[in-house]
Amino acid sequence: MAAYDILIADDHPLFRSALQQALTITLGDSVRLVEAESIAQLEARLAEKSDWDLVLLDLNMPGAHGFSGLVLLRGQYPQIPVVMVSAQEEAAVMSRSREFGASGFIPKSSSLEQIQQAVQTVLDGDDWWPEQPDEDTAMTEEEKAASAGLASLTPQQFRVLTMVCDGLLNKQIAYDLNVSEATVKAHVTAIFRKLNVRTRTQAALLLQQMESIPQQA
């Protein structure tokens, strides 16, 4: 039986293969690797099993808006360590990843050895961050409130929110999720309350905040 269960969430097949290779070399038969190529697949894997030892999460996943996937994971599954994986390697991106609750950050330019070191460090219970210059990129109160609101959403509410932000009407969302329009309306009401917004536009703007990265001075 595998000692570690690791979930690789990335929409790029080549990079998923690279992660598979790095982790198989390091952990051998003691690891079970499962892949997800979208937020929907990630949520399905988490619904099936909630005691993963680690999630490797791509910053730009289909179905997520920037850091919203990380915020959702930390809100719904706080017991699972999450390491962000991204081709965006700016210090501000790493800083935001840390503030939103990630246990580490792996730049996609990393060598196999660096990936192996990062994963083993987090599996051992520590955080792992690349060296980076100190920057004043603290989250604003508005961003903290947005993050807390998103973290309080259920996975189904999060799906509804992303579809609202994509411009879908309640009846379209109901059809796609195979639920009643009344159920969607109830979800939207709950989402507005949790996010402290009154309109679909305000909800969309709040979700888009998760994509914004502070500009370096």
Side-chain angles (χ1 to χ4, degrees):
M1 187 173 179
Y4 298 112
D5 291 318
I6 298 177
L7 186 50
I8 299 173
D10 194 298
D11 62 328
H12 296 94
L14 285 176
F15 197 74
R16 289 201 307 272
S17 296
L19 288 173
Q20 287 259 16
Q21 178 186 357
L23 301 184
T24 302
I25 291 172
T26 306
L27 302 169
D29 294 337
S30 66
V31 65
R32 183 173 75 96
L33 302 171
V34 177
E35 298 181 4
E37 58 184 34
S38 67
I39 289 294
Q41 282 192 10
L42 173 62
E43 289 175 340
R45 302 285 184 266
L46 291 166
E48 295 165 0
K49 171 183 168 65
S50 61
D51 59 345
W52 296 92
D53 295 291
L54 176 63
V55 172
L56 298 173
L57 178 65
D58 186 13
L59 177 59
N60 295 305
M61 285 276 286
H65 291 254
F67 292 103
S68 65
L70 172 61
V71 170
L72 176 73
L73 260 176
R74 300 306 299 144
Q76 296 298 320
Y77 305 95
Q79 76 280 9
I80 304 177
V82 181
V83 171
M84 297 304 293
V85 180
S86 180
Q88 292 179 252
E89 302 177 11
E90 299 90 340
V93 178
M94 297 184 199
S95 176
R96 277 295 183 269
S97 298
R98 190 195 303 264
E99 290 178 344
F100 283 129
S103 296
F105 188 98
I106 299 175
K108 287 196 172 180
S109 62
S110 300
S111 65
L112 285 181
E113 291 75 16
Q114 288 170 323
I115 294 172
Q116 292 162 348
Q117 179 185 358
V119 169
Q120 190 63 63
T121 298
V122 175
L123 288 174
D124 289 341
D126 294 319
D127 289 355
W128 192 91
W129 299 91
E131 289 187 14
Q132 55 179 312
D134 292 331
E135 285 197 17
D136 183 14
T137 57
M139 290 167 63
T140 65
E141 291 303 315
E142 187 178 33
E143 288 171 324
K144 290 178 182 177
S147 173
L150 287 171
S152 72
L153 299 180
T154 67
Q156 186 76 330
Q157 288 170 348
F158 182 79
R159 276 190 287 272
V160 171
L161 174 60
T162 58
M163 296 169 90
V164 165
C165 293
D166 288 338
L168 273 64
L169 302 175
N170 285 354
K171 62 182 180 182
Q172 295 172 305
I173 297 172
Y175 178 81
D176 286 350
L177 295 180
N178 195 28
V179 298
S180 70
E181 193 170 344
T183 297
V184 174
K185 288 180 180 177
H187 281 316
V188 171
T189 299
I191 290 165
F192 284 8
R193 186 184 71 252
K194 289 182 176 181
L195 301 185
N196 194 28
V197 299
R198 295 183 177 181
T199 68
R200 297 165 91 91
T201 299
Q202 289 174 335
L205 289 172
L206 187 146
L207 187 59
Q208 287 166 7
Q209 284 185 23
M210 296 297 102
E211 297 179 333
S212 62
I213 302 299
Q215 297 298 312
Q216 297 182 17

